[in-house]
Amino acid sequence: MQDRRQGVRDKVLYGGVAEINERGSTMDCVVRNINEHGACVEFGAAERVPEEIKLTVARKGRSYLARLIWRQANKVGLAFRIMTSDTPVSDLDERLRRSEIKKRQLQRRIRELLGQG
């Protein structure tokens, strides 16, 4: 396979979290190499990775909107479109916030169904 990267990538071993849809579903992953243009990322099941993801690398304190370029076994190559954060991001905080919103929506719906609201 011909290497068409825009720059040399640093070999790393970072934990990452890929947000794989707009509902906040996530998959843990391992970033194997990275530079400002893209990364090689390893998943438990790469066939479930969609064409567009949001990759958060907490150790670097950055999140990226990324496009899938290639897929091979359990690894994928990503091209970064946009860096969305340059400050440390806690995935747990974001997931908790979404969970609380969903909880309030469900409680409101239950009250409606019971005729209390």
Side-chain angles (χ1 to χ4, degrees):
M1 179 164 53
Q2 182 182 4
D3 189 354
R4 297 180 298 217
R5 295 181 188 152
Q6 295 179 7
V8 177
R9 289 198 184 154
D10 298 325
K11 290 189 184 297
V12 296
L13 192 59
Y14 294 155
V17 176
E19 191 171 315
I20 58 173
N21 64 30
E22 52 282 340
R23 292 181 308 203
S25 297
T26 60
M27 292 175 65
D28 291 332
C29 59
V30 176
V31 179
R32 295 293 184 175
N33 64 47
I34 192 168
N35 68 16
E36 66 272 8
H37 302 291
C40 174
V41 180
E42 186 174 340
F43 290 91
E47 67 274 357
R48 293 181 32 217
V49 178
E51 297 298 313
E52 300 273 329
I53 68 168
K54 178 181 177 184
L55 176 67
T56 300
V57 184
R59 185 155 178 198
K60 291 187 68 73
R62 295 194 174 119
S63 295
Y64 306 90
L65 293 180
R67 182 172 44 92
L68 188 129
I69 301 298
W70 58 265
R71 183 186 321 253
Q72 186 176 50
N74 61 341
K75 293 183 182 177
V76 299
L78 299 174
F80 297 149
R81 294 179 33 226
I82 307 170
M83 183 174 56
T84 60
S85 175
D86 203 5
T87 58
V89 174
S90 171
D91 180 57
L92 292 177
D93 289 342
E94 179 65 22
R95 291 189 332 199
L96 180 60
R97 185 185 66 76
R98 283 193 297 254
S99 177
E100 289 294 328
I101 291 169
K102 188 67 171 177
K103 177 184 163 188
R104 285 192 298 272
Q105 291 171 341
L106 290 171
Q107 286 173 332
R108 192 176 314 124
R109 180 67 179 138
I110 289 170
R111 284 193 302 271
E112 288 173 7
L113 291 172
L114 294 174
Q116 299 174 357

